[in-house]
């Protein structure tokens, strides 16, 4: 007797399938439609990832995602009005702001007409509607995130987002701030997808922030395809300040060409369940990559940072430093994998993750991995987790600093080491202020 | 009345008796040296006075300015004027020394109900004391004690003492790990802080620090008790004869 095992589909899986059928009916035929179809098939074949899937071991999406929310409607005037004060963390930074409300680009809140020379921005929804061939070629084609389920779901459902092009040799003076706001009072799902392409020798600072109301279990699945050309430089800062009941899945799918320099920083305080994925491939020699992050979690928050650094070309350097501060019954997950492909000699890769546990109920899971197929490389990784150092606390108190202030100073210094990686002083200050704000709210 | 009065103090650490009936009285304006062999309880006394957790007082009392010191948290003791110069100053990555100094001074002032120091006033004081201690201002922009040499760490302790202006300073083996030049800089720093309004307790194993910081009173601590008290000549005698006789006496 043979039995075929078909896992029972969860409410969320059934909901996503229904939503996709409805979406497909509204879209035109073409290459993009075929791409969506293939991505959805890929998801459907596997279902939502669960703890038996190694890459999702600590973030069982099948259990954590209870249902699939309906796709968000276009934002109304009330939702847009809420977005006016968005991105406030970086209020002091002179940036070019592009605002998305419920996943849709809102031109009247954005600086689309006053962009720095060399920078071109358009709406992904418009580009998909026109079927621009370049877009199809760039969107996730053969990037390192290929095959990931969260990313496939994004491809199937992607709505709007920013298409950003920086001309060869253009050094964009003001940072570009992509602001994503959830503005509706009803829980819905948003699938935003952006594409950022830096031509050779270009230079851009990109800020990405996500925020929304507390107490609303909306769902965000966002992805960024990043193509960094030769000798170009990209600094990216992502702030996740979603509402405390939100589900947030994000994917960075980046390819870096020769002699390019990428510095990435993720600051996470928001969301109920967060999975932040960073897939980066060094495709040309001499590229320099720095991925950093700080997560400050409390209550029952679940924050997962999963990264893959793929050294496909030799002579590249990668550095990762991720720090998490875990209070309450929160859970911080870090999975980091470095792959050095055959022939990628002279690779220099180092990864470090540290967790600071502020309560007995908090949990940190760290999983660093190295896969090395070349013989002349330097690779290392380290992971630590622990409580605040009582001796350091005593040293500060013996100088007259009260216990709580001493703790704050120590936590601040712990997080500060990661924030140091941000090159721009005003943004570093803004992130430090955001960390202090979080610390002031500790019970 | 003495500034600090310790009577029949008994202290346990990890269930072991360390201090076993210690008596000590120190008045403002005096410098007391406490000498003794390793394991006699010198550092325990320093830590109990500053309120370090993990030290269980099982008997006796410690009165400071006429009030029970043992009831106070470490930060409250500091605000009331108690300062401990650590034998092994700790490194605090990510906290600039300047930030640390300023936070400490203003925290103490706040606890005492005094206004915060203005930035120019704070900087003036830091510059003044740092210069006297041959501390480069660049060093103070670096994280607390991170990458400092042994001598720099100890000078940083004395800088903190100078800025915090304690009424009672306890120097725990401040001479350990210092070469003779560094020892002299540190000792000069301490001597400048001698004042009729301040008591200093110098804890040391060796006599050589006391050549530079000349004490008014010398105590010998052995097996958790003060076994002999005398003038500075007692330190010289210890240097010549060693601690062996006191270990026998206490036994």
């Amino acid at each position: 007797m043979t039995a075929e095992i078909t896992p029972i589909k969860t409410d969320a899986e059934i909901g996503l399938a229904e939503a996709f059928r409805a979406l497909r009916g509204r879209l035109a035929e073409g290459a993009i439609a075929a791409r969506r179809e293939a991505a959805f098939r890929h998801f459907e074949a596997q279902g939502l990832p669960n703890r038996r899937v190694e890459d999702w071991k600590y973030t069982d999406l099948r259990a954590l995602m209870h249902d699939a929310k309906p796709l968000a409607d276009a934002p109304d005037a009330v939702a847009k009005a809420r977005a006016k004060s968005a991105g406030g963390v970086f209020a002091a930074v002179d940036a070019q702001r592009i605002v998305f409300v419920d996943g849709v680009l809102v031109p009247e809140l954005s600086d689309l007409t006053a962009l720095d020379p060399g920078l071109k921005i358009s709406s992904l929804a418009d580009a998909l509607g026109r079927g621009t061939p370049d877009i199809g070629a760039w969107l996730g084609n053969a990037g390192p995130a290929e095959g990931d389920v969260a990313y496939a779901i994004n491809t199937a459902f992607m709505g709007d987002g920013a298409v950003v092009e920086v001309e060869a040799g253009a050094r964009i003076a003001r940072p570009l701030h992509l602001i994503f706001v959830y503005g509706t009072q009803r829980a819905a799902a948003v699938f935003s997808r952006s594409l950022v392409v830096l031509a050779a020798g270009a230079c851009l600072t990109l800020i990405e922030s996500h925020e929304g109301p507390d107490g609303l279990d909306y769902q965000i699945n966002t992805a960024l395809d990043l193509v960094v050309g030769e000798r170009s430089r990209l600094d990216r800062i992502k702030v996740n300040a979603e509402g405390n009941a939100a589900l947030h899945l994000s994917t960075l799918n980046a390819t870096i060409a020769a002699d390019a320099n990428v510095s990435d920083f993720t600051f996470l305080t928001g969301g109920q369940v967060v999975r932040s994925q960073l897939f980066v491939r060094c495709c040309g020699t001499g590229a320099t990559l720095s991925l950093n992050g700080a997560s400050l979690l409390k209550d029952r928050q679940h924050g997962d940072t999963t990264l893959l650094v793929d050294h496909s070309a030799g002579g590249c350097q990668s550095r990762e430093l991720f720090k998490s501060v875990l209070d309450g019954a929160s859970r911080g997950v870090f999975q980091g994998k470095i792959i050095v492909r055959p022939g990628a000699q002279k690779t220099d890769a180092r990864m470090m993750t540290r967790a600071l546990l502020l309560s007995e109920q908090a949990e940190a899971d760290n999983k660093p991995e190295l896969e090395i197929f070349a013989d002349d490389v330097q690779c290392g990784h380290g992971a630590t987790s622990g409580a605040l150092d009582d001796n350091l606390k005593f040293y500060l108190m013996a100088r007259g600093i009260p216990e709580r202030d001493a703790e704050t100073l120590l936590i601040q210094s712990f997080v500060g080491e990661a924030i140091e990686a941000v090159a721009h002083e005003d943004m570093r200050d803004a992130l430090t202020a955001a960390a202090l704000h979080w610390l002031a709210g500790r019970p | 009345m003495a500034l600090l009065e310790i009577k029949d103090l008994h202290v346990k650490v990890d269930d072991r008796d360390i201090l076993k009936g210690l008596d000590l009285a120190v008045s403002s304006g005096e410098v007391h040296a406490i000498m003794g062999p390793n394991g006699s309880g010198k550092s325990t006394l320093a830590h109990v006075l500053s309120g370090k957790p993990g030290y269980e007082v099982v008997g006796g009392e410690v009165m400071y300015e006429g009030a029970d010191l043992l009831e106070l948290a470490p930060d409250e003791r500091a605000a009331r004027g108690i300062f401990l110069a650590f034998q092994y100053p700790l490194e605090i990555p990510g906290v600039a020394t300047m930030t640390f100094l300023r936070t400490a001074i203003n925290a103490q002032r706040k606890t005492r109900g005094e206004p915060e120091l203005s930035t120019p006033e704070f900087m003036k004081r830091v510059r003044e004391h740092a210069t006297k201690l041959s501390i480069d201002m660049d060093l103070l922009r670096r994280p607390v004690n991170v990458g400092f040499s042994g001598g720099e760490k100890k000078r940083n302790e004395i800088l903190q003492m100078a800025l915090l202006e304690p009424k009672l300073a306890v120097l725990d083996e401040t001479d350990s790990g210092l070469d003779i030049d560094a020892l002299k800089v540190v000792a000069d720093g301490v001597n400048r802080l001698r004042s009729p309004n301040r008591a200093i307790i110098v804890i040391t194993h060796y006599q050589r620090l006391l050549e530079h910081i000349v004490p008014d009173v010398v105590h010998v601590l052995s097996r958790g008790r003060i076994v002999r008290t005398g003038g500075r000549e007692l330190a010289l005698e210890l240097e010549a004869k060693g601690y062996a006789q006191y270990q026998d006496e206490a036994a």
Side-chain angles (χ1 to χ4, degrees):
Chain A
M1 194 178 113
T2 59
E4 195 170 316
I5 298 168
T6 312
I8 296 166
K9 285 203 184 307
T10 65
D11 287 350
E13 288 164 342
I14 294 166
L16 284 169
E18 282 170 3
F20 188 72
R21 269 196 299 277
L23 178 75
R24 190 166 44 190
R26 296 202 302 273
L27 295 172
E29 295 289 314
I32 296 291
R35 180 79 69 79
R36 290 184 192 273
E37 184 77 33
F40 191 78
R41 292 270 163 268
H42 178 66
F43 154 66
E44 217 172 26
Q46 302 180 49
L48 284 171
N50 59 66
R51 64 195 154 81
R52 276 183 273 278
V53 177
E54 183 60 31
D55 288 347
W56 293 80
K57 186 173 169 177
Y58 304 107
T59 300
D60 186 333
L61 203 56
R62 204 177 144 95
L64 290 167
M65 187 173 166
H66 306 298
D67 55 5
K69 302 294 179 199
L71 295 186
D73 295 327
D76 57 15
V78 180
K80 288 180 186 175
R82 275 199 200 94
K84 281 201 175 118
S85 62
V89 174
F90 294 112
V93 176
D94 179 23
Q96 311 171 74
R97 294 159 51 99
I98 308 294
V99 178
F100 297 85
V101 180
D102 299 341
V104 177
L105 176 64
V106 181
E108 63 265 34
L109 295 175
S110 305
D111 300 329
L112 284 167
T113 52
L115 297 172
D116 287 353
L119 181 63
K120 219 169 86 185
I121 297 177
S122 55
S123 141
L124 180 84
D126 288 353
L128 292 177
R130 286 196 309 272
T132 316
D134 277 0
I135 302 294
W138 275 327
L139 273 182
N141 238 358
E146 203 172 63
D148 176 75
V149 173
Y151 183 66
I153 296 172
N154 183 280
T155 300
F157 288 97
M158 60 187 167
D160 203 357
V163 178
V164 178
E165 292 167 79
V166 187
E167 272 175 25
R171 309 180 76 80
I172 309 304
R174 289 181 299 155
L176 172 65
H177 188 173
L178 304 180
I179 299 173
F180 295 88
V181 187
Y182 192 85
T184 304
Q185 289 300 73
R186 185 175 70 100
V190 171
F191 298 87
S192 60
R193 178 73 160 260
S194 294
L195 170 61
V196 174
V197 181
L198 275 75
C203 183
L204 175 71
T205 296
L206 178 70
I207 308 171
E208 196 187 319
S209 63
H210 297 261
E211 59 199 272
D214 281 341
L216 192 68
D217 58 343
Y218 61 96
Q219 297 175 339
I220 302 291
N221 181 329
T222 179
L224 170 64
D225 294 308
L226 178 62
V227 181
V228 183
E230 288 183 9
R231 289 169 284 105
S232 54
R233 177 184 174 121
L234 179 87
D235 284 31
R236 173 178 175 258
I237 291 149
K238 184 190 168 197
V239 173
N240 181 335
E242 299 282 16
N244 62 9
L247 169 75
H248 178 107
L249 306 174
S250 84
T251 308
L252 171 70
N253 178 47
T255 53
I256 307 177
D259 299 315
N261 184 330
V262 170
S263 171
D264 185 82
F265 186 85
T266 305
F267 187 75
L268 166 63
T269 55
Q272 169 63 48
V273 174
V274 174
R275 163 97 164 185
S276 173
Q277 312 190 109
L278 305 164
F279 297 91
V280 184
R281 179 176 292 151
C282 297
C283 312
T285 57
T288 310
L289 168 67
S290 163
L291 300 175
N292 303 281
S295 300
L296 305 169
L297 303 175
K298 59 184 179 182
D299 302 331
R300 302 194 62 81
Q301 281 182 292
H302 178 108
D304 174 343
T305 298
T306 292
L307 66 85
L308 170 74
V309 176
D310 180 346
H311 284 271
S312 290
C316 298
Q317 188 197 70
S318 63
R319 293 282 181 276
E320 291 84 40
L321 175 62
F322 283 81
K323 294 211 164 184
S324 51
V325 177
L326 305 170
D327 207 352
S330 66
R331 188 174 184 193
V333 177
F334 177 85
Q335 303 185 103
K337 186 191 276 186
I338 299 172
I339 300 180
V340 180
R341 303 279 176 194
Q345 303 293 12
K346 307 288 180 195
T347 291
D348 176 1
R350 261 166 237 296
M351 177 164 65
M352 178 53 114
T353 170
R354 293 187 192 282
L356 179 60
L357 299 153
L358 298 180
S359 100
E360 295 280 325
Q361 289 80 45
E363 179 179 329
D365 302 290
N366 288 328
K367 192 177 74 181
E369 291 172 276
L370 294 176
E371 286 182 10
I372 303 172
F373 302 101
D375 57 8
D376 184 14
V377 301
Q378 284 193 48
C379 291
H381 65 70
T384 64
S385 60
L388 277 176
D389 185 326
D390 284 338
N391 288 318
L392 285 182
K393 203 162 101 179
F394 171 66
Y395 190 42
L396 294 171
M397 290 179 73
R399 294 298 174 255
I401 301 171
E403 184 167 13
R404 197 184 152 85
D405 295 352
E407 288 182 359
T408 298
L409 200 58
L410 291 174
I411 300 167
Q412 193 194 335
S413 75
F414 175 83
V415 175
E417 199 200 339
I419 296 178
E420 276 301 301
V422 175
H424 298 254
E425 191 179 359
D426 43 3
M427 282 179 235
R428 235 178 15 238
D429 291 348
L431 292 169
T432 303
L436 280 174
H437 178 74
W438 186 90
L439 285 168
R442 274 186 70 209
Chain B
M1 189 184 60
L3 176 71
L4 176 74
E5 204 152 1
I6 302 175
K7 282 186 192 152
D8 195 28
L9 185 64
H10 291 256
V11 173
K12 275 188 177 187
V13 181
D14 292 335
D15 247 15
R16 283 192 307 132
D17 295 312
I18 306 292
L19 297 184
K20 303 171 215 172
L22 184 139
D23 295 293
L24 180 68
V26 180
S27 295
S28 293
E30 294 176 349
V31 174
H32 287 233
I34 296 181
M35 302 184 70
N38 290 331
S40 57
K42 300 192 300 291
S43 284
T44 296
L45 175 61
H47 288 144
V48 168
L49 290 177
S50 55
K52 188 175 182 176
Y55 294 80
E56 190 193 350
V57 176
V58 288
E61 61 173 30
V62 179
M63 303 298 281
Y64 173 76
E65 292 185 309
D68 183 1
L69 181 70
L70 300 175
E71 282 190 348
L72 303 175
D75 56 308
E76 295 169 319
R77 298 183 195 198
R80 292 197 192 189
I82 292 186
F83 179 88
L84 170 67
F86 281 56
Q87 182 179 3
Y88 304 108
L90 289 111
E91 299 183 3
I92 314 177
V95 178
T97 310
M98 211 67 102
T99 308
F100 166 68
L101 295 173
R102 192 160 183 189
T103 308
I105 289 179
N106 284 331
Q108 292 200 13
R109 294 179 73 92
K110 194 176 166 194
T111 306
R112 293 193 295 259
E114 298 164 11
E116 291 198 349
L117 274 189
S118 70
T119 304
E121 179 59 26
F122 168 75
M123 289 306 292
K124 191 180 137 231
R125 292 190 191 187
V126 172
R127 216 171 282 127
E128 190 185 307
H129 291 295
T131 308
K132 286 181 191 161
L133 286 161
S134 308
I135 294 175
D136 196 275
M137 291 300 279
D138 282 343
L139 194 72
L140 302 181
R141 289 185 190 96
R142 293 185 6 209
V144 180
N145 293 328
V146 177
F148 286 28
S149 70
E152 285 169 339
K153 285 182 184 174
K154 293 297 172 82
R155 274 185 277 154
N156 190 18
E157 290 293 290
I158 304 306
L159 174 65
Q160 292 165 41
M161 176 175 159
L163 289 167
L164 295 170
E165 300 175 337
K167 293 178 191 163
L168 171 65
V170 182
L171 278 54
D172 186 10
E173 310 240 4
T174 291
D175 50 336
S176 70
L178 293 186
D179 62 32
I180 189 67
D181 294 330
L183 184 74
K184 237 183 129 338
V185 175
V186 166
D188 289 347
V190 174
N191 285 329
R192 273 194 300 275
L193 296 170
R194 292 179 84 141
S195 141
N197 303 318
R198 178 171 296 138
I200 300 176
I201 298 175
V202 181
I203 292 174
T204 182
H205 185 89
Y206 301 104
Q207 199 275 138
R208 66 171 190 163
L209 179 65
L210 304 181
E211 286 172 12
H212 302 281
I213 305 173
V214 178
D216 301 302
V217 186
V218 175
H219 307 274
V220 179
L221 180 62
S222 177
R223 302 191 185 194
R225 301 178 63 192
I226 302 281
V227 292
R228 199 169 154 198
T229 296
R232 65 170 301 211
E233 68 286 350
L234 181 53
L236 296 169
E237 186 191 314
L238 283 170
E239 181 79 354
K241 295 187 182 168
Y243 290 109
Q245 55 168 323
Y246 299 106
Q247 281 165 321
D248 293 344
E249 259 177 43

